[in-house]
């Protein structure tokens, strides 16, 4: 009676990523009203800089944010899928500033969409047919299973990465994924990366960039870079933040038509509610097709108007970007150091609103397993009261890694969360110690017993010899 | 494996959907938009320009909304009163939507239906306009290759919204002028049987009520008969009720939701409707759409799908505040139909005086004009030639019936609510002048015939990509 899409579960919302969210919703932490509730650390939101934006609204005396009476009619009627020119122009400039001016953007190449969710889906509809595949490095954002595959019929083939090289993409892992897709009879249409990475919080190195470009060029396929966290780069790695946008000006015309960016204001500006996303591409046919498809998810003209004003204020944008980076860096350092104190390491990272945390040491078996990871995650939710994102829901190939978000709460909640982790880690170590003590005692007892046995044996033997 | 693009425009590397023209924007229909864009009417700056009458927008009651916004600063997060809400609103991305938003919508929709029916706020799924809602419903109800029946003439963008990315087919059921284009049960049965016999899986019927482009409402008996038909065959009925508050004359609007309880065999799992604030309130830019289903599985799945087109939380707040204001709603729902009626009446009277008939309509932002007497032959080629005269000579952009899939040539949809009084008067004057000249001037008819040689040129012009059109062009408008 209903469609197959409805009956299947390829919306992906049965994964622990969403289940944890549900658990949090049933019992949300509140410093005063529910201090024993679950703290939400599974949501990569940026709430560190909202006050800056509120401050801007107040300083402006709030004019120019909502249209004057004479403009209201125009705005309320404005449903042109090309978007408000002033908004796109401000967005193009903003994207360039986040990249410290190393790349510039042309507003004519922007397609506005209802968040990056819609942008990614539209790209799949435009670049791939049902049954085709895109290669994605693992671990990746759990929402991609829904956004890229559900209604489009496109498949995701993982590019496996490993902690042995800090989860970096290599040519051999790209080739392996490509061959795997071929053995499954799928046509690979491209590679999609998130840069900075979700959940790793790292930006691609120059070597990764070069390998990716060479790979997609040699295979004549697309490269999509979801750069939704571009404004959260708080530490420059040795290579700096390398945006895939650099390849748009590579001089290779054919290749430059197959490089596309996705962006959104949800993370950098902390505005997920406003549903502002975009596709950026040199490919005019893609821009044209995607623009038509954006009819299914346009950005509210009211919101475009507000943000066109905000993002056109250059001095505000400059100070916002700097302050936002600073606060993310500080909050992240706090988490990393607190975790380090209890012997929990994090992947070294320079961006994002989360840490990629190595909790293999807290798994309950001698060797890591996904069963153990699930048990640990369940304990974290129900006993410790923290909703974190298990690595398996991000398709990580190694168990024991978790994404823990730090930018969606105030300092108080952060301290409570770190205390809970410390207590939990201590209790596990204590149990291990206790278990270790018991084991140790048994070992000593066995040793003693064995000495006695040997001594007896020795005497018996010597008596035999003697006799 | 994708080949390297050598043609420079990058089209070879795209998918079938991207390249198949299913967006529907290559039809000659858009030539009218281009004519308007190149030469838009302005009462003082360009009094000889083309008047836009192909755009179904409601601009008659903006003053009421502007007043409300001025007097309710808290509804905006950009005012001193509202900015304290900023953090919560900007962060709110829950696909259930703000509770007050859904509740306000539920109450508003009920009020439009005279409170004869109540709506459950938990069944409201938000969408990016009706464009988003209708596509989402297709994804939920049908698989690629399945079909929905649709009475024609129908809203042209259904071809894109219901079919393009979903792979669903549309099977039109032609309605005829002989009975005022009403859908009959026998036409429905015949279309359904024919589809089944040819091996097509019919999943449901989609009905726009009030009708676009006819401007009429479906009567209770017809709705009951349709609901009984779909219920017995266990197929879906989807009603697009986007014009529900534009009913300005009897009969009173009857929604499918009211008729359900009167049809014994009705299974609510097969009943759904879509709605939007784009027409009733004149807010197409704010992208506020609703998908309402009596089927729990559809609500649940559609809600997950709404992630692809949520309503901006800033807009949800504004709408929630506005529609919760009972006084405003009463005033608006009283005044808006009155202004629509007055404007509609003016047009119908003036056109009647020059012998142009319209279908008797009681709703919508347009009327269905009968220009058959101006056709030399009853063909669609003649209709297109007449249309080019109307666009280029009379300088009115109206919409030819063929673009709505009308089975009979000579009908045009003419919008009347997207302009002020001055412009309306000018438009009426031009039509009147044209008809007078037509009757008295053989040369005019000859010059009309001579347009035949110009057609080919015009046809090739119409294939220009809408991307190069100006922002005011309705070709780039989400719904019209």
């Amino acid at each position: 009676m209903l469609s197959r899409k409805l009956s299947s579960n390829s919306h992906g919302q049965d994964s622990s990523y969403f289940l944890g969210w549900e658990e949090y919703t049933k019992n949300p932490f509140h410093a005063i009203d529910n201090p024993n509730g679950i703290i939400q650390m599974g949501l990569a939101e940026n709430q560190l800089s909202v006050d800056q934006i509120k401050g801007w609204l107040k300083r402006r005396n709030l004019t120019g944010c909502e249209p004057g009476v004479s403009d209201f009619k125009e705005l309320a009627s404005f449903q042109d899928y090309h978007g408000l020119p002033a908004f796109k122009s401000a967005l193009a400039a903003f994207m360039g500033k986040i990249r410290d001016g190393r790349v510039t953007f042309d507003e004519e190449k922007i397609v506005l969409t209802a968040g990056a969710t819609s942008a990614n889906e539209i790209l799949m509809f435009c670049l791939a047919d049902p049954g085709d595949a895109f290669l994605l490095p693992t671990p990746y954002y759990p929402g991609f299973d829904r956004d890229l595959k559900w209604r489009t019929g496109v498949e995701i083939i993982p590019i496996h990465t490993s902690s042995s090289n800090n989860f970096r993409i290599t040519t051999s892992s790209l080739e392996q994924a490509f061959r795997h897709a071929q053995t499954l009879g799928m046509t690979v249409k491209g590679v999609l990366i998130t840069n900075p990475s979700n959940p790793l919080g790292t930006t691609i190195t120059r070597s990764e960039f070069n390998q990716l470009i060479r790979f997609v060029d040699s295979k004549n396929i697309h490269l999509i870079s979801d750069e939704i966290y571009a404004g959260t780069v708080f530490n420059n790695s040795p290579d700096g933040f390398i945006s895939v946008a650099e390849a748009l000006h590579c001089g290779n015309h054919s290749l430059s038509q197959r490089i596309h960016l996705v962006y959104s204001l949800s993370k950098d500006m902390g505005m997920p509610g406003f549903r502002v996303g975009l596709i950026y591409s040199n490919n005019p046919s893609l821009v044209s097709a995607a623009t038509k498809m954006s009819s299914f998810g346009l950005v509210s003209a009211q919101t475009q108007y507000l943000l066109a004003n905000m993002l056109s204020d250059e001095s505000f944008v400059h100070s916002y970007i700097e302050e936002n980076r600073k606060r993310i860096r500080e909050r992240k350092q706090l988490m990393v150091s607190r975790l380090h104190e209890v012997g929990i390491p994090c992947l070294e990272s320079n961006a994002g609103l989360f840490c990629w945390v190595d909790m293999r040491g807290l798994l309950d078996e001698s060797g890591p397993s996904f069963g153990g990871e699930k048990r640990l995650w369940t304990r974290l939710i129900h006993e410790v009261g923290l909703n974190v994102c298990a690595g398996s829901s991000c398709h990580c190939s190694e168990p024991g890694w978790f994404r823990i978000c730090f930018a969606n709460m105030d300092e108080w909640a952060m301290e409570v969360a770190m205390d809970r982790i410390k207590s939990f880690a201590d209790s596990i170590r204590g149990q291990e110690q206790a278990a270790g003590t018991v084991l140790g005692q048994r070992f000593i007892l066995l040793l003693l017993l064995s000495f006695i046995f040997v001594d007896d044996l020795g005497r018996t033997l010597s008596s035999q010899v003697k006799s | 494996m994708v080949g390297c693009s050598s043609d420079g425009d990058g089209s070879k590397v795209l998918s079938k959907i991207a390249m198949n023209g299913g967006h529907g924007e290559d039809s000659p229909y858009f030539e009218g938009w281009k004519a308007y864009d190149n030469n838009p009417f302005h009462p003082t700056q360009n009094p000889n320009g083309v008047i836009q009458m192909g755009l179904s927008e409601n601009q008659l009651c903006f003053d009421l909304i502007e007043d409300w916004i001025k007097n309710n600063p808290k509804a905006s997060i950009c005012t001193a009163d509202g900015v304290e809400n900023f953090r919560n609103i900007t962060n709110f991305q829950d696909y259930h939507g703000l509770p007050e938003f859904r509740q306000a919508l539920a109450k508003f929709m009920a009020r439009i239906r005279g409170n004869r029916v109540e709506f459950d706020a938990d069944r409201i799924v938000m969408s990016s306009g009706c464009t988003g809602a209708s596509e989402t419903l297709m994804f939920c109800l049908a698989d690629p290759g399945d079909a929905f029946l649709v009475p024609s003439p129908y809203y042209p963008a259904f071809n894109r919204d219901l079919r393009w990315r979903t792979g669903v087919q549309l099977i039109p059921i032609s309605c005829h002028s002989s009975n005022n284009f009403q859908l009959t049960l026998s036409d429905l049965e015949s279309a359904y049987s024919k589809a089944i016999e040819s091996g097509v899986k019919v999943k449901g019927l989609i009905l726009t009520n009030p009708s676009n482009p006819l401007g009429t409402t479906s009567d209770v008996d017809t709705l009951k008969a349709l609901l009984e038909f779909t219920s017995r065959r266990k197929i879906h009925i989807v009603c697009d009720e986007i014009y529900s508050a534009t009913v300005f004359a009897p009969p009173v609007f009857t929604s499918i939701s009211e008729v359900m309880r009167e049809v014994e065999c009705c299974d609510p799992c097969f009943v759904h409707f879509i709605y939007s604030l784009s027409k009733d309130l004149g807010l197409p830019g704010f992208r506020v759409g609703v998908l309402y289903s009596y089927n729990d599985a559809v609500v649940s799945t559609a809600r997950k799908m709404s992630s692809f087109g949520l309503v901006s939380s800033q807009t949800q707040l504004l709408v929630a505040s506005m529609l919760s204001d009972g006084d405003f709603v009463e005033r608006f729902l009283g005044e808006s139909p009155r202004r629509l009626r007055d404007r509609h009446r003016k047009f119908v009277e003036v056109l009647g005086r020059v012998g142009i008939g319209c279908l008797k309509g009681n709703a919508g932002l347009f009327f269905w004009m009968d220009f058959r007497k101006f056709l030399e032959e009853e063909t669609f080629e003649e209709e297109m030639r007449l249309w080019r005269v109307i666009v280029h000579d009379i300088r009115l952009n109206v919409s030819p019936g063929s673009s709505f899939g009308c089975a009979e040539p000579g009908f045009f949809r003419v919008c009347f609510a997207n302009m002020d009084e001055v412009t309306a008067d000018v438009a009426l004057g031009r039509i009147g002048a044209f008809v007078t000249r037509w009757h008295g001037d053989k040369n005019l008819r000859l010059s009309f015939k001579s347009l035949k040689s110009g057609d080919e040129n015009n046809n090739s012009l119409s294939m220009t990509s809408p991307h190069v059109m100006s922002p005011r062009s309705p070709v780039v408008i989400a719904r019209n």
Side-chain angles (χ1 to χ4, degrees):
Chain A
M1 151 170 129
L2 301 172
S3 69
R4 284 193 289 270
K5 278 183 186 53
L6 184 145
S7 319
S8 78
N9 65 352
S10 31
H11 49 73
Q13 287 193 209
D14 301 329
S15 87
S16 67
Y17 176 73
F18 292 101
L19 293 174
W21 208 331
E22 274 175 36
E23 288 303 314
Y24 161 75
T25 315
K26 290 181 210 162
N27 182 18
F29 170 82
H30 185 278
I32 299 161
D33 299 340
N34 190 20
N36 296 321
I38 297 177
I39 299 179
Q40 173 63 292
M41 304 191 89
L43 194 54
E45 275 177 3
N46 181 2
Q47 296 186 22
L48 301 181
S49 298
V50 178
D51 62 302
Q52 291 196 77
I53 297 175
K54 242 172 98 173
W56 179 84
L57 284 168
K58 286 182 172 168
R59 275 195 309 278
R60 285 285 296 244
N61 288 326
L62 308 163
T63 56
C65 311
E66 289 284 16
V69 163
S70 60
D71 291 335
F72 179 82
K73 194 164 129 173
E74 287 290 323
L75 204 64
S77 307
F78 187 85
Q79 50 177 333
D80 178 351
Y81 58 28
H82 292 100
L84 269 183
F87 181 46
K88 291 209 324 196
S89 169
L91 269 174
F94 184 70
M95 286 167 68
K97 286 193 186 76
I98 280 179
R99 290 158 180 77
D100 297 326
R102 283 195 299 276
V103 275
T104 56
F105 294 89
D106 175 358
E107 64 201 72
E108 296 296 318
K109 296 179 178 174
I110 290 177
V111 179
L112 293 176
T113 62
T117 302
S118 177
N120 282 312
E121 191 195 41
I122 288 176
L123 277 175
M124 291 300 105
F125 272 122
C126 287
L127 301 180
D129 298 314
D132 289 343
F134 259 79
L135 311 181
L136 267 67
T138 64
Y140 62 78
Y141 163 56
F144 279 154
D145 289 322
R146 172 195 64 189
D147 300 351
L148 306 183
K149 298 186 343 174
W150 190 18
R151 307 192 305 180
T152 63
V154 171
E155 299 290 345
I156 294 176
I157 298 293
I159 303 163
H160 291 294
T161 63
S162 150
S163 59
S164 60
N165 74 335
N166 294 321
F167 299 95
R168 293 292 176 190
I169 302 165
T170 61
T171 302
S172 74
S173 60
L174 287 163
E175 292 284 359
Q176 196 176 27
F178 192 88
R179 278 195 304 273
H180 181 56
Q182 286 184 318
T183 58
L184 294 172
M186 294 177 193
T187 306
V188 174
K189 283 295 172 67
V191 176
L192 187 151
I193 65 168
T194 311
N195 176 38
S197 163
N198 175 10
L200 302 175
T202 52
T203 53
I204 53 172
T205 60
R206 179 61 62 189
S207 166
E208 283 177 299
F209 175 80
N210 291 337
Q211 289 181 78
L212 277 163
I213 296 299
R214 270 199 298 272
F215 180 77
V216 301
D217 194 23
S218 70
K219 304 281 192 243
N220 285 326
I221 58 179
H222 298 274
L223 175 61
I224 299 172
S225 182
D226 182 342
E227 301 198 344
I228 192 175
Y229 292 98
T232 68
V233 179
F234 51 78
N235 256 345
N236 273 330
S237 57
D239 293 336
F241 171 44
I242 298 170
S243 166
V244 165
E246 287 185 20
L248 290 167
H249 309 290
C250 64
N252 176 342
H253 175 76
S254 157
L255 174 63
S256 73
Q257 302 276 293
R258 290 182 277 109
I259 309 277
H260 321 285
L261 255 61
V262 165
Y263 185 58
S264 158
L265 296 181
S266 299
K267 309 296 178 185
D268 292 346
M269 299 291 288
M271 295 172 166
F274 289 178
R275 313 314 303 144
V276 178
L278 65 92
I279 293 168
Y280 189 91
S281 177
N282 270 342
N283 186 322
S285 300
L286 173 66
V287 168
S288 173
T291 302
K292 295 176 179 72
M293 271 194 199
S294 70
S295 302
F296 297 108
L298 297 176
V299 179
S300 168
Q302 183 192 18
T303 300
Q304 291 190 51
Y305 188 93
L306 165 63
L307 296 179
N309 277 287
M310 193 184 295
L311 298 183
S312 304
D313 184 337
E314 287 186 21
S315 77
F316 165 72
V317 163
H318 178 78
S319 63
Y320 178 89
I321 290 174
E322 288 309 308
E323 185 62 22
N324 186 43
R325 282 175 179 159
K326 174 171 165 288
R327 292 183 190 183
I328 293 173
R329 184 177 60 243
E330 284 169 1
R331 181 62 70 85
K332 193 226 159 179
Q333 277 166 355
L334 172 68
M335 177 184 274
V336 169
S337 61
R338 293 293 297 272
L339 291 175
H340 180 72
E341 280 164 21
V342 294
I344 299 175
C346 301
L347 182 73
E348 200 176 309
S349 65
N350 63 328
L353 306 173
F354 33 74
C355 290
W356 187 236
V357 182
D358 183 354
M359 293 189 139
R360 289 177 291 183
L362 297 179
L363 295 177
D364 59 12
E365 294 159 359
S366 50
S369 71
F370 284 111
E373 179 185 284
K374 184 146 187 221
R375 285 190 292 278
L376 177 56
W377 177 77
T378 308
R379 289 187 75 183
L380 286 167
I381 287 261
H382 294 294
E383 288 175 35
V384 185
L386 298 180
N387 178 33
V388 298
C389 180
S392 51
S393 67
C394 301
H395 302 277
C396 185
S397 38
E398 298 171 30
W401 293 84
F402 290 78
R403 185 192 78 168
I404 304 186
C405 301
F406 55 71
N408 63 315
M409 63 191 72
D410 59 27
E411 277 202 34
W412 174 262
M414 184 71 184
E415 291 292 342
V416 172
M418 293 299 102
D419 286 342
R420 289 184 188 181
I421 292 184
K422 180 176 188 312
S423 306
F424 178 66
D426 287 345
S427 78
I428 291 195
R429 301 254 154 74
Q431 284 165 14
E432 281 173 0
Q433 230 174 13
T437 307
V438 166
L439 274 173
Q441 285 169 346
R442 285 185 187 155
F443 177 72
I444 290 167
L445 188 58
L446 273 172
L447 205 55
L448 278 172
L449 287 171
S450 67
F451 278 138
I452 295 166
F453 173 72
V454 164
D455 197 38
D456 276 346
L457 184 61
R459 282 195 210 120
T460 308
L461 285 172
S462 67
S463 69
Q464 282 183 341
V465 166
K466 275 179 184 168
S467 60
Chain B
M1 172 75 84
V2 180
C4 192
S5 167
S6 58
D7 58 355
D9 73 356
S11 58
K12 285 191 178 156
V13 295
L14 302 188
S15 66
K16 295 188 183 86
I17 283 181
M19 299 313 299
N20 69 6
H23 47 75
E25 291 188 25
D26 294 332
S27 86
Y29 170 61
F30 293 103
E31 182 184 333
W33 308 140
K34 192 166 164 249
Y36 168 74
D37 276 345
N38 289 340
N39 185 19
F41 171 82
H42 187 279
T44 50
Q45 291 166 21
N46 190 20
N48 293 320
V50 176
I51 297 178
Q52 174 62 284
M53 303 189 85
L55 189 54
S56 168
E57 272 182 5
N58 184 356
Q59 297 186 15
L60 300 185
C61 286
F62 274 126
D63 57 311
L64 299 182
I65 296 180
E66 283 158 357
D67 277 343
W68 186 89
I69 288 180
K70 260 195 305 201
N71 295 326
N72 290 272
K74 207 163 174 195
S76 163
I77 45 171
C78 301
T79 60
D81 289 346
V83 77
E84 294 315 310
N85 257 327
F86 185 83
R87 176 186 284 266
N88 291 334
I89 292 299
T90 194
N91 210 45
F92 186 86
Q93 55 174 332
D94 180 350
Y95 60 25
H96 291 86
L98 283 174
E100 54 267 38
F101 172 68
R102 279 184 291 117
Q103 281 148 19
L105 277 170
K107 268 177 65 183
F108 183 64
M109 295 192 319
R111 178 61 192 85
I112 288 173
R113 290 150 183 77
N115 290 322
R116 293 182 297 275
V117 68
E118 267 183 21
F119 295 106
D120 178 356
D122 290 337
R123 288 195 174 284
I124 289 178
V125 177
M126 60 177 163
S127 62
S128 178
C130 266
T131 304
S134 56
E135 188 197 48
T136 297
L137 257 183
M138 289 302 105
F139 274 124
C140 288
L141 304 181
D143 294 313
D146 292 345
F148 262 75
L149 301 167
V150 57
S152 75
Y154 62 88
Y155 166 56
F158 273 165
N159 291 327
R160 173 195 65 188
D161 299 350
L162 306 181
R163 300 184 325 174
W164 189 21
R165 305 193 303 181
T166 62
V168 169
Q169 300 183 54
L170 284 182
I171 297 177
I173 309 168
S174 292
C175 301
H176 304 282
S177 58
S178 52
N179 73 336
N180 293 324
F181 295 95
Q182 290 176 77
L183 175 64
T184 65
L185 201 53
S186 70
D187 283 341
L188 173 58
E189 277 170 357
S190 156
Y192 177 79
S193 307
K194 207 166 142 197
I196 296 292
E197 276 155 31
S198 65
V200 171
K201 198 163 169 199
V202 176
K203 274 318 208 20
L205 168 72
I206 180 155
L207 180 75
T208 308
N209 175 34
S211 162
N212 175 10
L214 302 175
T216 53
T217 48
S218 297
D219 61 85
V220 174
D221 290 334
T222 302
L223 284 174
K224 276 160 73 168
L226 295 178
L227 187 53
E228 205 171 297
F229 178 92
T230 54
S231 300
R232 290 202 190 289
R233 284 154 191 77
K234 296 204 176 311
I235 62 176
H236 297 278
I237 183 162
V238 174
C239 286
D240 181 347
E241 301 191 344
I242 194 176
Y243 291 100
S244 48
T246 67
V247 178
F248 52 79
V252 155
F253 172 64
T254 305
S255 162
I256 195 71
S257 50
E258 299 172 61
V259 166
M260 285 168 75
R261 53 190 169 218
E262 300 189 36
V263 174
E264 218 178 286
C265 60
C266 170
D267 181 351
C269 286
F270 290 96
V271 184
H272 328 271
F273 71 87
I274 60 178
Y275 182 61
S276 159
L277 300 183
S278 299
K279 308 298 178 186
D280 290 349
L281 284 186
L283 302 174
F286 290 4
R287 313 313 303 142
V288 180
V290 171
L291 183 160
Y292 193 97
S293 174
Y294 291 94
N295 182 316
D296 292 348
V298 172
V299 170
S300 169
T301 303
R303 187 158 283 134
K304 294 178 178 73
M305 283 191 187
S306 69
S307 301
F308 297 109
L310 297 173
V311 177
S312 168
S313 52
Q314 178 192 15
T315 302
Q316 288 186 50
L317 178 71
L318 176 71
V319 165
S321 309
M322 194 186 299
L323 299 186
S324 303
D325 184 339
D327 289 339
F328 167 77
V329 166
E330 287 307 311
R331 193 166 53 249
F332 189 93
L333 292 181
E335 186 64 15
S336 176
R338 192 187 66 73
R339 295 184 190 183
L340 287 169
R341 186 190 64 226
D342 289 348
R343 180 62 68 83
H344 180 268
R345 185 182 288 159
K346 175 186 203 149
F347 269 79
V348 169
E349 275 173 8
V350 171
L351 292 173
R353 281 204 289 274
V354 295
I356 295 182
C358 313
L359 184 69
K360 188 164 177 325
N362 66 323
L365 309 173
F366 34 76
F367 51 88
W368 191 235
M369 203 162 69
D370 184 352
F371 257 20
R372 285 178 291 178
K373 67 169 73 168
F374 298 100
L375 298 183
E376 293 288 327
E377 294 159 10
E378 257 191 57
T379 64
F380 288 110
E381 290 73 25
E382 281 291 301
E383 179 183 281
M384 292 309 290
R385 269 192 287 277
L386 174 58
W387 178 59
R388 291 197 172 100
V389 168
I390 299 174
V391 170
H392 296 292
D393 194 10
I394 315 179
R395 282 160 290 120
L396 301 174
N397 181 32
V398 298
S399 310
S402 50
S403 63
F404 295 88
C406 186
E408 298 169 42
F411 289 91
F412 293 81
R413 187 192 76 172
V414 179
C415 299
F416 59 74
N418 62 316
M419 60 189 71
D420 56 26
E421 287 290 334
V422 167
T423 309
D425 287 337
V426 172
L428 285 168
R430 287 184 187 178
I431 296 175
F434 168 77
V435 173
T436 307
R437 280 163 57 212
W438 179 273
H439 286 308
D441 188 347
K442 217 182 270 178
N443 289 335
L444 179 63
R445 291 200 286 279
L446 285 172
S447 74
F448 166 53
K449 274 192 179 162
S450 78
L451 272 177
K452 189 175 181 170
S453 58
D455 279 353
E456 286 80 10
N457 292 337
N458 284 337
N459 261 327
S460 64
L461 284 173
S462 72
M463 293 303 161
T464 309
S465 162
H467 183 64
V468 306
M469 296 198 181
S470 78
R472 292 266 346 131
S473 171
V475 77
V476 298
I477 282 171
R479 189 175 178 104
N480 53 23

